[in-house]
Amino acid sequence: NVAHSARLPVMRSGRCAMLQKMLRGRRPRSPYAARPSLWQIAADFQGCWQAPQRGFSTAATHAATPSSSSTSTPRFTPTQASPTGEWAFRASVLGTENAMSGFLFLDETGRAAYLADGVQVVGRGVGHWIQIGSTTAVELQVYQYGAAETTVPEGPHTFRGIWESSPDQDNGVVSGSWYFCPDGGEPMLVGSFETAASASVLARSPSTSASSPAPPGALPWARATSLSPSETATIMTALNENGRKFLGATDHQDSLEKYRVSNIAKVHYVPEWIGESQEKAFLRMADQDAMQWEDMRTRHSQEWGAGDRCGCGRGLRREPLPAEQQEVADVLHTLRVFDGALYPMNSVRINAYRPGQGIYPHCDGPVYYPKIAILSLASHCLLHLYPRKGNEDNMKWDAQNNVPSGHVDSAPLASFLLEPRSLILLSHDAFWNHRHGIEAVTSETIPETTCNLDLTSGQYKVGDELKRERRVSFTMRHLLPRCACQG
């Protein structure tokens, strides 16, 4: 039996490399893991990407990196064995065995990552860990869902695990208490977890929640450590402090707030996100290979980052983005528009519309999540949001209208004037419960439902007629993995 305190486990090359790159921000070859970590600093890209004058400031919205000179709670002490490395992992939640199952990775700088096994559930998590005396604790933001689910969570959930360092000498398994952390609330004991040096060792061991009695007065699935309530509170406080240090105090939503438009949560419109020279570069990127365009009835289109259906039949095959598009993804991760670790921007659809073309109202979820970012080039248009009607089936394709099926005609609730070089973000209620579309017209009149005129260039007002020219857009999203076939 290999005990945690004896030696580090042998690193499984493919999975371990993915986990380490999730944490360290290296660009791996696997498109599934092609993302900088949450702690990638914005300065890495300032030399190759000009921050737009009216858009986001990369210097102001960077993610904080841990400081090696900090004197706060130590992650481990020299007298204790370090739990760093990769471990097979499982957790029970509210009596459900193996509610989380996969691999946990703890690196030497105090960062943590979780990767679901991809059998029944698909997901990942990132966070941090500390060690005080013989007690180790980890906090993870976990985004996980059933591989066959047609609905997915609206965001990650936060969990914490606390364990004491010595594994069970009989089976080499370490077990501890598992907590759920509601937003703005105190951690709640919801179950237990186990880790071992390998999945085979863990599989041979019975679940702690099934084999250990609950403490007196506790819920039946709870497992208590030998820590006193005051010691547990000290660990929780230390995790709070460590989390603030790792994630930093800057919230990217603060930088987005001034660009929020409409009463629908949440739509953000950023004018002049790129400059004119960059717009030309994006247009060259779109048109550099005419063979890439698919001629649809409603538009011309290119799809990058997602290929044909995976051989397992559960999802689309992921493909790496071209280098120029990956650079854009890196910027959006750095600006924290997309979460570079939990749901990176890994899919780009380039659309080209001639005057008289548009796109039928449709929803992107649950194939894509958790938002869409649309960069407009060359011409303006009006984007409309429509309420969902309940008959949308986004897992099917409407071949006649070239969109996910289930659209119906209805009046728009909100409209947005998209000027060239602007970026619009649709998330939360706007993403989940509204269809978005562009009318197939050669000209259009700005309606009273337009919500963002105060953020546009100032030359437009309600009632003005807009004549369309050829418009190109980059629609950027996160393609949800549905299997673990590609690592």
Side-chain angles (χ1 to χ4, degrees), residues 227-409:
L227 299 176
S228 67
S230 62
E231 290 172 324
T232 300
T234 298
I235 292 292
M236 293 296 183
T237 300
L239 278 174
N240 292 341
E241 295 174 353
N242 200 57
R244 283 191 289 268
K245 178 172 60 179
F246 261 91
L247 299 179
T250 300
D251 186 344
H252 76 288
Q253 292 297 336
D254 293 338
S255 64
L256 284 174
E257 192 59 32
K258 62 182 177 181
Y259 301 109
R260 186 169 175 177
V261 290
S262 91
N263 293 324
I264 301 174
K266 292 183 176 177
V267 183
H268 296 89
Y269 176 81
V270 185
E272 294 292 330
W273 190 64
I274 60 173
E276 292 183 4
S277 62
Q278 291 170 324
E279 180 182 33
K280 293 177 181 178
F282 274 102
L283 289 171
R284 287 194 299 269
M285 190 189 309
D287 291 328
Q288 60 188 349
D289 185 357
M291 297 298 294
Q292 296 294 338
W293 288 109
E294 178 185 359
D295 188 6
M296 297 181 172
R297 186 178 67 85
T298 58
R299 63 195 184 279
H300 289 76
S301 186
Q302 302 178 32
E303 182 74 35
W304 298 93
D308 296 329
R309 183 169 294 275
C310 182
C312 71
R314 286 163 58 177
L316 299 178
R317 188 179 71 248
R318 297 178 298 273
E319 297 178 347
L321 292 173
E324 292 174 313
Q325 295 181 24
Q326 182 60 49
E327 186 175 288
V328 180
D330 292 340
V331 171
L332 291 174
H333 298 159
T334 301
L335 300 176
R336 303 175 78 178
V337 171
F338 284 87
D339 187 320
L342 289 176
Y343 24 79
M345 193 283 274
N346 59 9
S347 173
V348 178
R349 180 174 282 274
I350 306 176
N351 290 317
Y353 302 89
R354 298 189 302 269
Q357 290 186 320
I359 186 167
Y360 277 78
H362 65 284
C363 297
D364 283 351
V367 178
Y368 303 98
Y369 179 88
K371 66 177 64 174
I372 55 175
I374 303 173
L375 175 63
S376 295
L377 307 169
S379 179
H380 44 58
C381 78
L382 287 167
L383 178 75
H384 305 284
L385 288 188
Y386 305 81
R388 288 184 71 134
K389 293 296 185 180
N391 68 334
E392 293 84 0
D393 187 350
N394 301 332
M395 303 301 287
K396 294 182 180 180
W397 184 255
D398 182 343
Q400 180 179 357
N401 295 306
N402 306 129
V403 293
S405 66
H407 73 277
V408 293
D409 294 328

Side-chain angles (χ1 to χ4, degrees), residues 63-86:
T65 53
S67 171
S68 59
S69 61
S70 174
T71 58
S72 61
T73 304
R75 296 184 180 86
F76 63 89
T77 61
T79 59
Q80 299 298 327
S82 169
T84 55
E86 178 191 346

Side-chain angles (χ1 to χ4, degrees), residues 2-5 83 87-92 97 104 134-138 160-179 189 191-197 201-202 205-213 221-227:
V2 179
H4 281 41
S5 57
W87 310 102
F89 168 84
R90 69 187 179 201
S92 64
E97 300 293 333
L104 180 68
S134 62
T135 302
T136 305
V138 64
R160 288 180 174 181
I162 299 178
W163 70 98
E164 293 167 275
S165 59
S166 297
D168 185 323
Q169 297 302 317
D170 293 331
N171 59 16
V173 173
V174 167
S175 57
S177 298
W178 196 240
Y179 296 82
L189 182 62
S192 61
F193 74 94
E194 295 87 33
T195 63
V201 171
L202 195 59
S205 173
S207 170
T208 303
S209 62
S211 59
S212 299
W221 52 77
R223 181 191 184 278
T225 64
S226 62
L227 299 176

